[in-house]
């Protein structure tokens, strides 16, 4: 780790576990906040920095942090103002949406307002999908950019600068065998065992504890394979595990069904990635080893390679200028996509060779299928 990375993780751990932070050396605040922005958790790190009495950031950086924190708080308020009427409208018509990611995960943090997110994800299932989309389009300020309702696994409605995704399924799974397993997992976690939690006086449905942990990791894993994963998403997994497995919460929250989680990870060929990411959660984020199910210390060598990749890419690979500069024209666009696929394969294979080949094969098979059906 560089000095800035070491300092960044010390500040992040203080935010995640709500522990005091005392600077033992001069902090590279520019470097620390660059990393925090890269991984979409500058609100968490900034809040700790602003509460420091000694060794804190300069007045200029403090002002930037305060401005950012205010914007996050306002954004969270705006999103709640969109979410609650949407849920109420769906319930009036007999549809019970389940909140994915975002707000549900934020509730697991010591200060929910510091967990950054920019949209709302509501799962309504296949049976209610079209009706839910039609209802939510009637909400004041809602707008869709001409997207077909059946274009993907979710439908987008934007309320100003705040998007809402209405999900027919929680995510797309390309592999046929894994898709069959995932359908059963999704039904278990989002239909049969969904539960309600309190969101500042408003009850809202969220996934089962097992699905919350599993899906949060699966979503982070998917980002790692495709668009890049940030430490915010990995922190989400750690916070979920801590909330459901820590002794202090055991009397309030039903314990995690580890047999079920083990079965789901195995069925989706995720145990090796889970254990590798687990080393990062324990060693970098400070998750107690006892709260990391199926922890395997022998994965630490692979985890170092994973760490290097994550720190280089960050959230959505935003520093990868090539990925976001797509050429005009159909041929150029296809070639650009192909180069991105091979680039991703090369980097993923350094950490997870088996999964890289599986992802490459699945990507080409899916692309070929779309091409055939298009003609």
């Amino acid at each position: 780790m560089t000095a800035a990375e070491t300092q960044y993780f010390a500040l992040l751990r203080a935010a995640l576990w709500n522990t005091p932070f005392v600077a033992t050396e001069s902090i590279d605040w520019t470097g620390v906040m660059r990393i925090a922005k890269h991984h979409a958790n500058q609100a968490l790190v900034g809040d700790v920095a602003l509460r420091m009495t000694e060794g804190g950031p300069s007045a200029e950086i403090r002002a930037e942090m305060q401005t950012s924190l205010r914007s996050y708080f306002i954004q969270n308020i705006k999103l709640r103002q969109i979410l609650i009427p949407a849920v109420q409208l769906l319930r009036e018509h007999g549809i019970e949406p389940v909140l994915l990611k975002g707000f549900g995960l934020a509730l697991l943090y010591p200060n929910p307002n510091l967990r950054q997110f920019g949209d709302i994800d509501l799962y309504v299932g296949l049976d209610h999908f079209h009706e839910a989309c039609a209802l939510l389009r009637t909400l004041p300020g809602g707008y869709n950019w001409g997207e077909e309702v059946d274009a993907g696994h979710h439908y987008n409605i934007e309320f100003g600068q705040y998007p809402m995704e209405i999900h027919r399924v929680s995510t797309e799974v390309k592999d046929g065998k894994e898709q069959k397993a995932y359908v059963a997992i999704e039904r278990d976690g989002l239909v049969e065992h969904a539960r309600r939690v309190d969101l500042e006086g408003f009850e809202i449905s969220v996934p089962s504890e097992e699905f919350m942990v599993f899906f949060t990791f699966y979503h982070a894993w998917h980002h790692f394979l495709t668009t890049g994963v940030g430490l915010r998403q990995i922190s989400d997994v750690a916070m979920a595990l801590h909330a459901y497995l820590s002794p202090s919460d055991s009397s309030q929250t039903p314990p995690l069904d580890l047999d079920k989680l083990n079965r789901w990870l195995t069925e989706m060929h995720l145990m090796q990635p889970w254990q590798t990411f687990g080393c990062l959660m324990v060693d970098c984020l400070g998750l107690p080893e006892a709260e990391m199910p199926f922890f395997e210390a022998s994965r630490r060598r692979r985890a170092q390679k994973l760490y290097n990749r994550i720190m280089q890419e960050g959230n959505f690979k935003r520093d990868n200028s090539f990925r976001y500069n797509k050429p005009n024209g159909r041929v150029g666009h296809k070639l650009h996509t192909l180069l991105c696929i091979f680039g991703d394969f090369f980097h993923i294979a350094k950490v997870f060779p088996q999964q890289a080949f599986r992802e490459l094969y699945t990507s080409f098979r899916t692309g070929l299928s779309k091409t055939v059906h298009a003609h």
Side-chain angles (χ1 to χ4, degrees):
M1 286 189 188
T2 65
E5 288 171 359
T6 300
Q7 294 162 355
Y8 159 79
F9 279 109
L11 287 157
L12 181 59
R13 286 192 294 270
L16 294 177
W17 312 114
N18 197 27
T19 55
F21 175 81
V22 179
T24 58
E25 60 182 346
S26 178
I27 295 178
D28 175 10
W29 287 109
T30 300
V32 165
M33 295 313 296
R34 179 189 60 78
I35 297 171
K37 183 178 181 180
H38 201 58
H39 292 277
N41 49 29
Q42 56 265 50
L44 286 164
V45 173
D47 180 67
V48 175
L50 290 172
R51 289 188 279 110
M52 291 176 61
T53 57
E54 295 182 9
S58 66
E60 180 181 356
I61 293 178
R62 286 180 65 88
E64 292 177 2
M65 290 176 174
Q66 290 167 341
T67 300
S68 294
L69 282 173
R70 279 195 295 270
S71 70
Y72 298 137
F73 289 162
I74 292 171
Q75 176 175 286
N76 290 352
I77 292 171
K78 295 282 188 182
L79 287 169
R80 276 194 291 271
Q81 291 172 344
I82 297 168
L83 171 65
I84 292 175
V87 173
Q88 290 173 330
L89 176 62
L90 292 176
R91 284 176 176 168
E92 288 171 4
H93 291 80
I95 302 172
E96 180 63 31
V98 180
L99 184 64
L100 297 174
K101 301 179 286 185
F103 281 110
L105 289 168
L107 295 173
L108 305 178
Y109 281 71
N111 184 342
N113 287 314
L114 297 176
R115 195 277 183 185
Q116 295 171 221
F117 48 91
D119 62 3
I120 297 168
D121 294 86
L122 290 177
Y123 170 83
V124 296
L126 291 169
D127 293 341
H128 300 294
F129 180 69
H130 287 86
E131 182 184 3
C133 291
L135 287 168
L136 294 173
R137 282 199 300 269
T138 68
L139 287 173
Y143 184 78
N144 176 267
W145 294 89
E147 176 189 37
E148 294 292 333
V149 174
D150 293 318
H153 70 283
H154 60 68
Y155 180 73
N156 297 294
I157 299 178
E158 294 189 10
F159 297 85
Q161 59 180 316
Y162 306 108
M164 176 187 292
E165 296 181 356
I166 303 100
H167 290 252
R168 72 174 80 227
V169 292
S170 54
T171 192
E172 289 182 324
V173 181
K174 298 176 183 177
D175 182 88
K177 291 182 179 179
E178 290 182 357
Q179 168 65 19
K180 184 177 180 180
Y182 190 82
V183 168
I185 292 170
E186 185 177 75
R187 183 175 62 249
D188 185 299
L190 294 180
V191 179
E192 296 173 359
H193 296 102
R195 59 208 164 89
R196 288 195 178 188
V197 297
D198 179 73
L199 178 63
E200 297 187 356
F202 181 79
E203 280 199 347
I204 191 157
S205 292
V206 297
S208 69
E209 291 85 354
E210 294 80 21
F211 190 85
M212 185 79 89
V213 170
F214 171 83
F215 179 72
T216 304
F217 175 72
Y218 186 69
H219 184 66
W221 170 246
H222 177 71
H223 271 268
F224 173 74
L225 292 178
T226 55
T227 58
V229 66
L231 287 160
R232 178 191 66 178
Q233 293 160 303
I234 302 172
S235 297
D236 287 342
V237 183
M239 289 292 94
L241 287 170
H242 177 68
Y244 305 140
L245 291 176
S246 61
S248 60
D249 293 336
S250 61
S251 62
Q252 302 174 11
T253 307
L256 208 59
D257 186 336
L258 296 182
D259 289 337
K260 181 182 289 187
L261 180 60
N262 189 339
R263 185 173 72 253
W264 289 355
L265 291 169
T266 302
E267 289 174 347
M268 297 298 290
H269 304 98
L270 289 173
M271 187 56 79
Q272 185 191 69
W274 167 271
Q275 292 174 334
T276 307
F277 275 80
C279 290
L280 292 189
M281 287 187 272
V282 170
D283 296 339
C284 297
L285 300 183
L287 179 70
E289 192 173 311
E291 295 174 15
M292 180 60 222
F294 327 122
F295 179 75
E296 180 54 65
S298 65
R299 302 290 187 199
R300 281 194 165 107
R301 186 174 180 180
R302 189 185 300 269
Q304 181 59 52
K305 296 179 182 179
L306 174 64
Y307 172 87
N308 294 338
R309 189 64 195 154
I310 289 174
M311 295 306 291
Q312 181 181 350
E313 288 185 335
N315 198 45
F316 288 106
K317 301 182 181 177
R318 297 201 186 279
D319 285 352
N320 188 332
S321 58
F322 176 78
R323 176 175 290 272
Y324 289 97
N325 289 321
K326 297 181 179 180
N328 296 322
R330 186 170 180 271
V331 175
H333 185 84
K334 292 288 185 183
L335 179 60
H336 179 270
T337 300
L338 191 64
L339 291 173
C340 286
I341 289 173
F342 275 109
D344 289 342
F345 166 77
F346 175 76
H347 292 298
I348 295 167
K350 292 181 179 179
V351 189
F352 301 106
Q354 181 179 352
Q355 288 80 0
F357 278 101
R358 176 190 291 271
E359 181 67 16
L360 183 66
Y361 167 74
T362 304
S363 295
F364 274 105
R365 188 184 64 183
T366 303
L368 180 62
S369 176
K370 288 181 178 178
T371 301
V372 171
H373 285 92
H375 293 81

